[in-house]
Amino acid sequence: MPAKRKNSVKKKSASRKKASSRKNSAKKSISGYIGRFIKKIILVSLVFGTLMLSVYTLYLNSVIKDKFEGRRWSIPAKVYARALEVYPGLKITVRQFEKELQLAGYRKDKQYSTEGSFSRNGQRIELVTRQFDFPDGEEPSHKLRIQFNQTGISSIYDRQKRKKISLMRLDPAHIGSIHPKLHEDRLLLSQDDIPKKLKNTLMAVEDRNFYQHYGVDPKGIARAMWTNIKAGSAVQGGSTLTQQLVKNYFLTRERTLARKLNEAIMSLLLEYHYSKDEIITAYINEVYLGQDGRRAVHGFALASEFYFKRPVSQLSQPQMALLVGLVKGPSYYNPRNHKDRALKRRNTVLKIMLEQGLLKQTHYQKGTKSSLGISGRWSLSNSPFTAFLDSVKSQLKENYDQDDLTDKGLRIFTTLNPQVQWAAENALSSQIKSVNKKLAKQLQGAVVVSHRDSAEILAIVGGKNSQEGDFNRAINARRPIGSLIKPAIYLTAFEQGYTLSSLLNDTSFSAKSVKGKLWSPKNFDKKEHGLVPLHVALAKSYNLSTARLGMDIGVDKVLNTVRSLGVDTDALPYPAVLLGSLTLSPIQVSQMYQTLADQGFYSPLHTILSVQDENNETMQQYPVRVQRRIDESLVYLINANLQEAVSMGTGKGLSQYVPIHYNIAGKTGTTNELRDSWFAGFGDNLIGVVWLGRDDNKPAGLTGSSGALKVWGKMMKQLDVGILEQNQPENIKWFWIDSMNQLKLTGRCQYAEFLPFVQGTEPESTQACSDSQFSEKYKTKWLKRLFQ
């Protein structure tokens, strides 16, 4: 090859090498730049990620501290019935007493060896009462033998003190709770309250390395993975107790990587801030262990009561094993619905206890052969006393906001008397069943019973078979009250100078009413009775004479009397008010008759005695408030007349249920077309108001006498209504009277009436007559019998 050509090739080759070198150099430069850029991005990302993780960790840390250091749980307010005071002479049968014990959560136990247990043998009950902190002090536990006879309790023997005692007080029945929106409920245990065996069993089953790890246990996770691989399915979890607490208390149950990451971080933080004992105590109080209707059962303390009717400190080893076993799946292993599953799970836990040295072989063998021992269903999710609780909540709202009632663990002591409540429910149910089947399906009712002296509401029935959420007719149903308004009319008349012997005109008339329409009242019997003494007009519930009287004294004044009796009404003074067009609820009628029964003293009806906070400190008491509203002398007259109404008037059918010598005062009420049946009455102890009718306001086909009165009678037949004895004011004097001639008599003449008067209002003219003229046929002979 020529030299020139060779030189040319060499030059071209060198040139290509230089170009290639420049390209490689450029590539290296670009590659290096990109590498450095990526490193910077990674570094920045790491720094930013670390910063964000730190910020997020700080956020989670604040969440933990804010929630865990404050009020950890919303504790619902607990509502209690009245405490039963037990003493020799108490009128209660052994069966009724046993029912009270069952309502209070006592369990039958032949050994009756622990608190809250009892045994019955014929007319004798042996029991161990529970210690209880009452608003006025602590009542310790007692070991008692109570003997009954035909009339009630005959003796009480304290087996510890070995002597008879005269009085003791049972812990009250827990009749309901006021739950937060989540409907969670729990009883809290302190660290000292938790049985050591419960804690050890829980750790043996759920987290054996609890006191060694820092919230997350890698060994536990690895062990669980290996166990699951060998089993071919997920049979064991790797979460620590701390992680479970975080998941239940702070997080949701969703299965995502983000939630697991949160769980791990928060578990580490929780362990950093709080001791192991605090964490396991919180877990034992938080864990979900069952469902009671809408109420979620949380924590071992409440679960122990829910499943076994005993405190956690009294659990046997098999019972404790079952509760620990429920942690894995409270619904799946529900011992009431899935007995075989629960039994198998319980025995699995017992085996773990044996393997971990928590149980001896003999105890293990005995435990696996034992039954589950679940008590009868004990539910407070749907209280049997919903109508009464409505009244309790209404009274509480006057002083407490909703958060106080659902979060702060208040204890509310009420006036509910279970014996009275059951009697009212049974009487209403019995009477409704006694009518024809077609009517019974449509018929509804309501009952309110209160104590005469204290104005305490003892029982409320809001309808037949009332459930939570049902319409409460006792409080919310406003119905025309019919003749129940008549005592207010006659009281108003007494204030204007009328007396029991005043003559009234019981004849037809018409008056202008609403929008100029004519109002023409009629008597129930469609008859006119001419001139009648005032006391006869009320006792017989004559409409014509009552309406004329009301028009004469003024409807507006009658309504003022109704208000004085305790009813807040804005009714307009139309004539129809005089015959009961005024609409009131049964509890409003009860307030009205409460004032009459208490001799004109107004005391607001109430259902609460006192409220305690979660530390058993009294926050508020509800003493009886008394205000004189009606002159006692005038109330004495009206009540004597209401006794006559029961003895020989529209309420005389009551004698089938309550002996006539009880001198019950009462009034029937019936509205147009027999739509409403009412009876209101009282003895020396109790006041009762009953309403029967239909929710669609169609005729019920019942008068006050044929419907409500029978419910009242059946109810009071079971209770101590008391023989009514009015305190006679000094200015009340009794005279023999001839009302038709307005004469005061010196002896017992024919047609003589023995009537009470405010001194100075009796007839001025006097006539003498001999005893031989006296006739036993006189209509008001009941008065002669009562007051001679």
mmCIF file of all heavy atoms in Angstrom, residues 736-741 743-754 767-780 784:
data_model
loop_
_atom_site.group_PDB
_atom_site.id
_atom_site.type_symbol
_atom_site.label_atom_id
_atom_site.label_comp_id
_atom_site.label_asym_id
_atom_site.label_seq_id
_atom_site.Cartn_x
_atom_site.Cartn_y
_atom_site.Cartn_z
ATOM 1 N N TRP A 736 -125.895 16.539 110.598
ATOM 2 C CA TRP A 736 -126.979 15.858 109.894
ATOM 3 C C TRP A 736 -127.731 16.923 109.113
ATOM 4 O O TRP A 736 -128.118 17.946 109.659
ATOM 5 C CB TRP A 736 -127.910 15.157 110.876
ATOM 6 C CG TRP A 736 -127.275 13.933 111.499
ATOM 7 C CD1 TRP A 736 -126.688 13.838 112.713
ATOM 8 C CD2 TRP A 736 -127.187 12.653 110.883
ATOM 9 N NE1 TRP A 736 -126.216 12.581 112.922
ATOM 10 C CE2 TRP A 736 -126.509 11.815 111.812
ATOM 11 C CE3 TRP A 736 -127.594 12.114 109.657
ATOM 12 C CZ2 TRP A 736 -126.245 10.467 111.552
ATOM 13 C CZ3 TRP A 736 -127.327 10.770 109.408
ATOM 14 C CH2 TRP A 736 -126.661 9.976 110.327
ATOM 15 N N ILE A 737 -127.916 16.654 107.824
ATOM 16 C CA ILE A 737 -128.463 17.658 106.918
ATOM 17 C C ILE A 737 -129.634 17.094 106.119
ATOM 18 O O ILE A 737 -129.625 15.924 105.712
ATOM 19 C CB ILE A 737 -127.378 18.158 105.935
ATOM 20 C CG1 ILE A 737 -126.183 18.755 106.689
ATOM 21 C CG2 ILE A 737 -127.945 19.179 104.939
ATOM 22 C CD1 ILE A 737 -126.514 20.010 107.465
ATOM 23 N N ASP A 738 -130.597 17.924 105.907
ATOM 24 C CA ASP A 738 -131.653 17.656 104.926
ATOM 25 C C ASP A 738 -131.366 18.591 103.750
ATOM 26 O O ASP A 738 -131.753 19.761 103.766
ATOM 27 C CB ASP A 738 -133.032 17.935 105.532
ATOM 28 C CG ASP A 738 -134.165 17.748 104.529
ATOM 29 O OD1 ASP A 738 -133.874 17.514 103.324
ATOM 30 O OD2 ASP A 738 -135.339 17.835 104.929
ATOM 31 N N SER A 739 -130.653 18.079 102.735
ATOM 32 C CA SER A 739 -130.207 18.929 101.643
ATOM 33 C C SER A 739 -131.367 19.505 100.846
ATOM 34 O O SER A 739 -131.338 20.677 100.435
ATOM 35 C CB SER A 739 -129.304 18.134 100.691
ATOM 36 O OG SER A 739 -128.103 17.768 101.332
ATOM 37 N N MET A 740 -132.400 18.716 100.598
ATOM 38 C CA MET A 740 -133.497 19.169 99.741
ATOM 39 C C MET A 740 -134.212 20.373 100.350
ATOM 40 O O MET A 740 -134.750 21.217 99.621
ATOM 41 C CB MET A 740 -134.478 18.025 99.490
ATOM 42 C CG MET A 740 -133.858 16.824 98.781
ATOM 43 S SD MET A 740 -132.991 17.256 97.236
ATOM 44 C CE MET A 740 -134.356 17.849 96.249
ATOM 45 N N ASN A 741 -134.196 20.451 101.689
ATOM 46 C CA ASN A 741 -134.839 21.584 102.353
ATOM 47 C C ASN A 741 -133.829 22.535 102.991
ATOM 48 O O ASN A 741 -134.209 23.485 103.677
ATOM 49 C CB ASN A 741 -135.806 21.067 103.426
ATOM 50 C CG ASN A 741 -136.963 20.306 102.824
ATOM 51 O OD1 ASN A 741 -137.718 20.852 102.019
ATOM 52 N ND2 ASN A 741 -137.099 19.029 103.190
ATOM 53 N N LEU A 743 -131.754 22.179 105.519
ATOM 54 C CA LEU A 743 -131.942 22.236 106.962
ATOM 55 C C LEU A 743 -130.822 21.489 107.684
ATOM 56 O O LEU A 743 -130.334 20.462 107.205
ATOM 57 C CB LEU A 743 -133.283 21.610 107.354
ATOM 58 C CG LEU A 743 -134.554 22.330 106.869
ATOM 59 C CD1 LEU A 743 -135.770 21.477 107.188
ATOM 60 C CD2 LEU A 743 -134.656 23.699 107.521
ATOM 61 N N LYS A 744 -130.458 22.030 108.844
ATOM 62 C CA LYS A 744 -129.548 21.337 109.739
ATOM 63 C C LYS A 744 -130.403 20.626 110.768
ATOM 64 O O LYS A 744 -131.270 21.252 111.406
ATOM 65 C CB LYS A 744 -128.612 22.352 110.412
ATOM 66 C CG LYS A 744 -127.580 21.719 111.332
ATOM 67 C CD LYS A 744 -126.518 22.732 111.775
ATOM 68 C CE LYS A 744 -127.180 23.912 112.481
ATOM 69 N NZ LYS A 744 -126.166 24.884 112.980
ATOM 70 N N LEU A 745 -130.181 19.312 110.944
ATOM 71 C CA LEU A 745 -131.063 18.507 111.777
ATOM 72 C C LEU A 745 -130.412 18.213 113.125
ATOM 73 O O LEU A 745 -129.196 18.116 113.227
ATOM 74 C CB LEU A 745 -131.396 17.192 111.060
ATOM 75 C CG LEU A 745 -131.998 17.343 109.646
ATOM 76 C CD1 LEU A 745 -132.149 15.985 108.991
ATOM 77 C CD2 LEU A 745 -133.339 18.071 109.689
ATOM 78 N N THR A 746 -131.250 18.046 114.123
ATOM 79 C CA THR A 746 -130.743 17.741 115.469
ATOM 80 C C THR A 746 -130.711 16.237 115.721
ATOM 81 O O THR A 746 -130.228 15.787 116.752
ATOM 82 C CB THR A 746 -131.630 18.398 116.534
ATOM 83 O OG1 THR A 746 -132.981 17.927 116.382
ATOM 84 C CG2 THR A 746 -131.597 19.908 116.397
ATOM 85 N N GLY A 747 -131.197 15.460 114.794
ATOM 86 C CA GLY A 747 -131.212 14.002 114.951
ATOM 87 C C GLY A 747 -131.199 13.325 113.597
ATOM 88 O O GLY A 747 -131.065 13.967 112.559
ATOM 89 N N ARG A 748 -131.370 12.012 113.616
ATOM 90 C CA ARG A 748 -131.324 11.244 112.378
ATOM 91 C C ARG A 748 -132.711 11.121 111.771
ATOM 92 O O ARG A 748 -133.416 10.144 111.996
ATOM 93 C CB ARG A 748 -130.752 9.864 112.635
ATOM 94 C CG ARG A 748 -129.361 9.887 113.244
ATOM 95 C CD ARG A 748 -128.889 8.475 113.528
ATOM 96 N NE ARG A 748 -127.537 8.445 114.065
ATOM 97 C CZ ARG A 748 -126.909 7.328 114.373
ATOM 98 N NH1 ARG A 748 -127.499 6.164 114.214
ATOM 99 N NH2 ARG A 748 -125.676 7.378 114.847
ATOM 100 N N CYS A 749 -133.074 12.071 110.980
ATOM 101 C CA CYS A 749 -134.384 12.041 110.344
ATOM 102 C C CYS A 749 -134.349 11.223 109.063
ATOM 103 O O CYS A 749 -133.293 10.848 108.568
ATOM 104 C CB CYS A 749 -134.847 13.457 110.006
ATOM 105 S SG CYS A 749 -134.856 14.569 111.413
ATOM 106 N N GLN A 750 -135.527 10.973 108.537
ATOM 107 C CA GLN A 750 -135.610 10.311 107.247
ATOM 108 C C GLN A 750 -134.918 11.185 106.198
ATOM 109 O O GLN A 750 -135.080 12.404 106.194
ATOM 110 C CB GLN A 750 -137.074 10.098 106.862
ATOM 111 C CG GLN A 750 -137.238 9.242 105.607
ATOM 112 C CD GLN A 750 -138.709 8.981 105.312
ATOM 113 O OE1 GLN A 750 -139.586 9.624 105.901
ATOM 114 N NE2 GLN A 750 -138.978 8.041 104.415
ATOM 115 N N TYR A 751 -134.111 10.541 105.337
ATOM 116 C CA TYR A 751 -133.356 11.227 104.297
ATOM 117 C C TYR A 751 -132.266 12.145 104.878
ATOM 118 O O TYR A 751 -131.803 13.054 104.215
ATOM 119 C CB TYR A 751 -134.258 12.037 103.363
ATOM 120 C CG TYR A 751 -135.370 11.226 102.773
ATOM 121 C CD1 TYR A 751 -136.696 11.598 102.931
ATOM 122 C CD2 TYR A 751 -135.080 10.050 102.065
ATOM 123 C CE1 TYR A 751 -137.726 10.828 102.392
ATOM 124 C CE2 TYR A 751 -136.091 9.298 101.520
ATOM 125 C CZ TYR A 751 -137.408 9.675 101.700
ATOM 126 O OH TYR A 751 -138.414 8.907 101.172
ATOM 127 N N ALA A 752 -131.877 11.904 106.108
ATOM 128 C CA ALA A 752 -130.802 12.717 106.679
ATOM 129 C C ALA A 752 -129.459 12.345 106.047
ATOM 130 O O ALA A 752 -129.208 11.198 105.687
ATOM 131 C CB ALA A 752 -130.730 12.516 108.191
ATOM 132 N N GLU A 753 -128.605 13.337 105.888
ATOM 133 C CA GLU A 753 -127.274 13.145 105.313
ATOM 134 C C GLU A 753 -126.254 13.668 106.315
ATOM 135 O O GLU A 753 -126.357 14.803 106.770
ATOM 136 C CB GLU A 753 -127.145 13.909 103.996
ATOM 137 C CG GLU A 753 -128.251 13.623 103.006
ATOM 138 C CD GLU A 753 -128.369 14.727 101.962
ATOM 139 O OE1 GLU A 753 -127.566 14.689 101.015
ATOM 140 O OE2 GLU A 753 -129.228 15.603 102.105
ATOM 141 N N PHE A 754 -125.264 12.850 106.633
ATOM 142 C CA PHE A 754 -124.226 13.252 107.562
ATOM 143 C C PHE A 754 -123.047 13.756 106.739
ATOM 144 O O PHE A 754 -122.312 12.966 106.130
ATOM 145 C CB PHE A 754 -123.828 12.059 108.436
ATOM 146 C CG PHE A 754 -123.032 12.426 109.647
ATOM 147 C CD1 PHE A 754 -123.502 13.376 110.567
ATOM 148 C CD2 PHE A 754 -121.818 11.822 109.905
ATOM 149 C CE1 PHE A 754 -122.779 13.699 111.693
ATOM 150 C CE2 PHE A 754 -121.083 12.137 111.031
ATOM 151 C CZ PHE A 754 -121.571 13.075 111.932
ATOM 152 N N GLN A 767 -133.802 22.033 112.357
ATOM 153 C CA GLN A 767 -135.081 21.357 112.606
ATOM 154 C C GLN A 767 -134.806 20.136 113.462
ATOM 155 O O GLN A 767 -133.854 19.394 113.233
ATOM 156 C CB GLN A 767 -135.734 20.944 111.281
ATOM 157 C CG GLN A 767 -137.045 20.158 111.480
ATOM 158 C CD GLN A 767 -137.704 19.844 110.150
ATOM 159 O OE1 GLN A 767 -137.929 20.734 109.349
ATOM 160 N NE2 GLN A 767 -138.014 18.575 109.925
ATOM 161 N N ALA A 768 -135.666 19.944 114.445
ATOM 162 C CA ALA A 768 -135.535 18.786 115.323
ATOM 163 C C ALA A 768 -136.349 17.633 114.762
ATOM 164 O O ALA A 768 -137.378 17.820 114.121
ATOM 165 C CB ALA A 768 -136.020 19.127 116.728
ATOM 166 N N CYS A 769 -135.870 16.420 115.017
ATOM 167 C CA CYS A 769 -136.633 15.230 114.614
ATOM 168 C C CYS A 769 -136.211 14.088 115.506
ATOM 169 O O CYS A 769 -135.148 14.123 116.129
ATOM 170 C CB CYS A 769 -136.415 14.886 113.148
ATOM 171 S SG CYS A 769 -134.701 14.549 112.722
ATOM 172 N N SER A 770 -137.000 13.030 115.544
ATOM 173 C CA SER A 770 -136.730 11.912 116.444
ATOM 174 C C SER A 770 -135.970 10.817 115.712
ATOM 175 O O SER A 770 -136.017 10.714 114.488
ATOM 176 C CB SER A 770 -138.052 11.346 116.985
ATOM 177 O OG SER A 770 -138.828 10.817 115.909
ATOM 178 N N ASP A 771 -135.283 9.988 116.488
ATOM 179 C CA ASP A 771 -134.521 8.884 115.907
ATOM 180 C C ASP A 771 -135.428 7.914 115.176
ATOM 181 O O ASP A 771 -134.990 7.216 114.254
ATOM 182 C CB ASP A 771 -133.748 8.146 116.987
ATOM 183 C CG ASP A 771 -132.603 8.981 117.528
ATOM 184 O OD1 ASP A 771 -132.238 9.988 116.879
ATOM 185 O OD2 ASP A 771 -132.080 8.605 118.587
ATOM 186 N N SER A 772 -136.709 7.829 115.583
ATOM 187 C CA SER A 772 -137.617 6.872 114.957
ATOM 188 C C SER A 772 -137.876 7.217 113.494
ATOM 189 O O SER A 772 -138.340 6.380 112.729
ATOM 190 C CB SER A 772 -138.948 6.837 115.722
ATOM 191 O OG SER A 772 -139.567 8.128 115.662
ATOM 192 N N GLN A 773 -137.598 8.473 113.118
ATOM 193 C CA GLN A 773 -137.825 8.866 111.727
ATOM 194 C C GLN A 773 -136.667 8.486 110.804
ATOM 195 O O GLN A 773 -136.770 8.642 109.596
ATOM 196 C CB GLN A 773 -138.024 10.392 111.648
ATOM 197 C CG GLN A 773 -139.308 10.869 112.294
ATOM 198 C CD GLN A 773 -139.407 12.369 112.211
ATOM 199 O OE1 GLN A 773 -138.748 13.065 112.969
ATOM 200 N NE2 GLN A 773 -140.222 12.852 111.296
ATOM 201 N N PHE A 774 -135.561 7.978 111.390
ATOM 202 C CA PHE A 774 -134.372 7.689 110.585
ATOM 203 C C PHE A 774 -134.628 6.502 109.657
ATOM 204 O O PHE A 774 -135.225 5.514 110.032
ATOM 205 C CB PHE A 774 -133.199 7.372 111.506
ATOM 206 C CG PHE A 774 -131.976 6.929 110.767
ATOM 207 C CD1 PHE A 774 -131.307 7.819 109.937
ATOM 208 C CD2 PHE A 774 -131.530 5.633 110.885
ATOM 209 C CE1 PHE A 774 -130.185 7.407 109.250
ATOM 210 C CE2 PHE A 774 -130.407 5.230 110.196
ATOM 211 C CZ PHE A 774 -129.730 6.113 109.378
ATOM 212 N N SER A 775 -134.187 6.620 108.442
ATOM 213 C CA SER A 775 -134.374 5.553 107.455
ATOM 214 C C SER A 775 -133.011 5.026 107.001
ATOM 215 O O SER A 775 -132.154 5.798 106.597
ATOM 216 C CB SER A 775 -135.143 6.056 106.239
ATOM 217 O OG SER A 775 -135.136 5.079 105.221
ATOM 218 N N GLU A 776 -132.814 3.706 107.053
ATOM 219 C CA GLU A 776 -131.565 3.100 106.607
ATOM 220 C C GLU A 776 -131.428 3.132 105.090
ATOM 221 O O GLU A 776 -130.398 2.796 104.534
ATOM 222 C CB GLU A 776 -131.478 1.643 107.081
ATOM 223 C CG GLU A 776 -131.191 1.491 108.549
ATOM 224 C CD GLU A 776 -129.779 1.928 108.916
ATOM 225 O OE1 GLU A 776 -128.930 2.017 107.999
ATOM 226 O OE2 GLU A 776 -129.542 2.179 110.093
ATOM 227 N N LYS A 777 -132.492 3.541 104.412
ATOM 228 C CA LYS A 777 -132.454 3.548 102.948
ATOM 229 C C LYS A 777 -131.692 4.737 102.380
ATOM 230 O O LYS A 777 -131.491 4.830 101.184
ATOM 231 C CB LYS A 777 -133.881 3.555 102.388
ATOM 232 C CG LYS A 777 -134.673 2.296 102.721
ATOM 233 C CD LYS A 777 -136.076 2.387 102.126
ATOM 234 C CE LYS A 777 -136.889 1.146 102.472
ATOM 235 N NZ LYS A 777 -138.257 1.232 101.913
ATOM 236 N N TYR A 778 -131.279 5.628 103.273
ATOM 237 C CA TYR A 778 -130.646 6.842 102.754
ATOM 238 C C TYR A 778 -129.403 6.523 101.913
ATOM 239 O O TYR A 778 -128.611 5.656 102.246
ATOM 240 C CB TYR A 778 -130.260 7.800 103.896
ATOM 241 C CG TYR A 778 -129.545 8.981 103.339
ATOM 242 C CD1 TYR A 778 -130.196 9.823 102.441
ATOM 243 C CD2 TYR A 778 -128.200 9.192 103.604
ATOM 244 C CE1 TYR A 778 -129.521 10.863 101.858
ATOM 245 C CE2 TYR A 778 -127.532 10.235 103.014
ATOM 246 C CZ TYR A 778 -128.192 11.069 102.138
ATOM 247 O OH TYR A 778 -127.519 12.087 101.538
ATOM 248 N N LYS A 779 -129.281 7.228 100.832
ATOM 249 C CA LYS A 779 -128.242 6.929 99.827
ATOM 250 C C LYS A 779 -126.826 7.021 100.390
ATOM 251 O O LYS A 779 -125.943 6.265 99.998
ATOM 252 C CB LYS A 779 -128.378 7.902 98.651
ATOM 253 C CG LYS A 779 -129.737 7.853 97.975
ATOM 254 C CD LYS A 779 -129.843 8.973 96.947
ATOM 255 C CE LYS A 779 -131.234 9.021 96.329
ATOM 256 N NZ LYS A 779 -131.360 10.142 95.391
ATOM 257 N N THR A 780 -126.581 7.939 101.287
ATOM 258 C CA THR A 780 -125.192 8.151 101.729
ATOM 259 C C THR A 780 -124.922 7.497 103.081
ATOM 260 O O THR A 780 -124.234 8.048 103.918
ATOM 261 C CB THR A 780 -124.887 9.654 101.804
ATOM 262 O OG1 THR A 780 -125.840 10.271 102.652
ATOM 263 C CG2 THR A 780 -124.904 10.284 100.445
ATOM 264 N N LYS A 784 -122.349 7.756 107.189
ATOM 265 C CA LYS A 784 -122.714 7.512 108.589
ATOM 266 C C LYS A 784 -121.828 6.420 109.178
ATOM 267 O O LYS A 784 -121.375 6.492 110.298
ATOM 268 C CB LYS A 784 -124.192 7.113 108.670
ATOM 269 C CG LYS A 784 -125.145 8.221 108.237
ATOM 270 C CD LYS A 784 -126.586 7.875 108.524
ATOM 271 C CE LYS A 784 -127.129 6.810 107.597
ATOM 272 N NZ LYS A 784 -127.266 7.279 106.210
#
